[in-house]
Amino acid sequence: MFKIDDVVKRGVRAVTISASLLALAACQDDAVSQSERDETAVTRAQTQFSQRVDGLLAEMTLEEKLGQLHQAAGGRSRNLNSRLTPEELDRVRAGAVGSYLHVAGAQPLAELQRVAVEESRLGIPLLFAMDVVHGYRTIFPVPIAMASTWDETDWQRAARISAEEASAAGLHWTFAPMIDIGRDPRWGRIVEGAGSDPYLGSRMAVAQVRGYQGESLAAGDTLLATAKHFGAYGVPTGGRDYGTAEIGERSLYEAYLPPFYAATRAGAGSMMTAFNDIDGVPSTSNEALIDGTLRARWAFDGLIVSDWNAIAELMNHGVAETRAAAGALALQAGVDMDMTSGIFVEELRQAIDADPALEADLDLAVGRILTAKERLGLFDDPMVYHQVQREQAELLAADHREAARAIAARSVVLLKNENAALPLELSEGRVAVIGALAADASTQLGSWRAQGRPEDVVSLLDGLREGAPEGVEIVYAAGADPLSDDLSGLEEAAALARSADRVVLVVGENFDMSGEARSRSDLFLPDSQRALASAILDTGQPVSVILVTGRPLAIPDIAARADAVLNAWMLGVEAGPALADIIYGETSPAGRLPVSFPRSTGAAPFTYSEYPGGRPADPDLARDTNRYMDQPITPLYGFGHGLSYSTFDYGALSGGVVQGEIRLAVDVTNSGDRAADEVVQLYMRDPVASVARPRIELRGFRRISLEPGASTTVHFTLSPAQAAVFQSPGVWQVEPGQLVFHVGGSSLDLASSVEVTIEDGFISDVPAAAIATRGETE
């Protein structure tokens, strides 16, 4: 194998392809005036509603229309249904509410729905919503861990189970998937997404939409998916949640919007706007982005909901002086439903009285909300989501827990394994499990845990105890808790470690240290965890470290001193058994990082796909190149990194052209003595273009399973459009010249390459990173 820096030194074989073979769309006429484009955008945004929806719109009063735009909080995330008072039922009867969030339960929501359909004037059903992000009662690994499987089928299965459970509990709508690209681990909500790469993020977005929404939204066991947070929430200045995104238009369209385009094409029923602004324009009032790109160019016809209180916060942004003005801005931009601020239902009438043209925007918003309810089948069978017996049967079903265990094990990433320290292959002896997080069941649920309960969780400690081979004794000491400065338990923990044959040290973050409003200025372990790690590593015993975290951490000391480092993230209800499967060798780890681990806080943000610059980083020159002078040019662990209990050999990457497609193939062999999975990763480099291009970009991946000594051929089929360069909104160009494709086990470990020559062409409305590669094996 060779590293990416060696690519330029090796010969590559060239094949030629013409982009014209794909019948790519012509570029938009530059002679069209901006006003004409605006009129076209408005025309394209007009949705053709069904006869039922048009009929309801004709019958509704202004107050009833405004009511449909209002989403009320039926409680809080940890106190559901608490606000469903008799007075609230009167609001439902009056048609003053279109949706509730923070509600759940087939029986209590059945009564609320009954009032809406039987006692309101028009009988319009309600939408019930919750953040079902990585499970409802059966909690799966946190999303960044789910992305670490590098297998869409895992996330689609988890989303399908989540929908089955949540729909059985009376819910119609989830505020997931969160598909923001996150490249700064200081940002707390990096835990909720698929990491740093737009291609990986796009693939995972599609999987989740399909899982939540199933084959038909009207099936009764589906959830309306919400792709959030449109458009660049994951890149706040300094990693501080809710902060401004200072990015250029090219970065917006090439890096941050592709997952949203992919979700649109997958049929996502709704989207949520972001809290933040992009270069001073708040997403919740960004008409060019919502009505221009999302609705007109991408033809998104679902409903758009604001984030919690975000419409009112337009005044904090400084773009609206009054609540009525804030409501008008959001409605004009294309936001259909107001989450909790009450502006649409309380103050929007003032704005409409002042500007009657807003009534057209109002009718569009109401029509889209009614259409979402129609697509869910709620007009035909509003009580299909309220079957108490199904709720009892679905929650924590045995096959759901089985899936949670399997997916959790597939999420674990082996970062280091010196001298085959793992798996623990002991027939007898004493294993010391050290760290308060080992026994912390609640942290394994992560953030946005829906109805997950700590008592449902098998902790890491219990899993290691229950899964231990006969003759192996598991002993435990808490040592130190990540939320406490109390270090009084370190001496006991170190003594226990010295008495053992092997040590499993569990350190990291408590669940409440990652998530919304949980940005951190320091990516090192909490002080107590650093002290605990130092005390245990100082014993001189063989130590395998288990990281529990919702974000990449800077762990240079642990990486240097531990025998093995296993990144477990936060694994859900089956955390313990899944970890035991890995630790004791029942399963070989095959998770891969969806985002890099930095060497220090100051090295963030970082992405493997950054531009090379005029003075590219040089590992041998500390000055006059694009690098920090006090650390290596690579991250501690790079994008796509992950080890196995086996080894894999790659043959030469070959390529050819068939019917206008780029077709590549590589032979992969399990050269070790264990059955294991490998994640074959395909990267692309455009070495000469009209603008600087990323040093490499992910353009395909395939997780494969191989027995010892077995081989398979992995095929990738790409479109030339996957190399398109952004020109302007809606216009992308495939430029003539050479593309170099690389294949290997990570972004920093590429095995072989092939060169492809293409001709130019234009495409419209298709972000290159959102186009899926077909991957097959033989």
Side-chain angles (χ1 to χ4, degrees), residues 514-528:
S514 291
E516 184 174 349
R518 300 296 187 271
S519 296
R520 290 181 55 191
S521 65
D522 185 352
L523 293 175
F524 291 105
L525 286 168
D527 289 345
S528 65

Side-chain angles (χ1 to χ4, degrees), residues 138-204:
T138 302
I139 303 299
F140 291 85
V142 292
I144 196 170
M146 296 281 288
S148 299
T149 69
W150 286 57
D151 192 334
E152 306 103 305
T153 59
D154 289 325
W155 215 333
Q156 184 167 339
R157 175 61 175 148
R160 182 85 293 275
I161 290 172
S162 300
E164 290 168 357
E165 292 194 356
S167 63
L171 296 173
H172 314 120
W173 190 9
T174 176
F175 301 131
M178 195 205 87
I179 56 178
D180 302 302
I181 298 302
R183 293 173 170 178
D184 192 335
R186 295 173 298 178
W187 184 49
R189 300 193 77 167
I190 197 169
V191 66
E192 296 180 46
S196 65
D197 186 75
Y199 180 78
L200 179 64
S202 295
R203 295 272 294 268
M204 294 303 180

Side-chain angles (χ1 to χ4, degrees), residues 424 426-433 464-465 468-476 496 499-502 584:
L424 296 181
L426 300 174
S427 57
E428 59 181 18
R430 200 177 203 216
V431 176
V433 178
L464 291 174
R465 280 175 170 162
E470 186 175 352
V472 173
E473 179 187 8
I474 302 295
V475 293
Y476 168 70
L496 191 69
S499 73
D501 298 293
R502 294 294 302 273
Y584 299 128

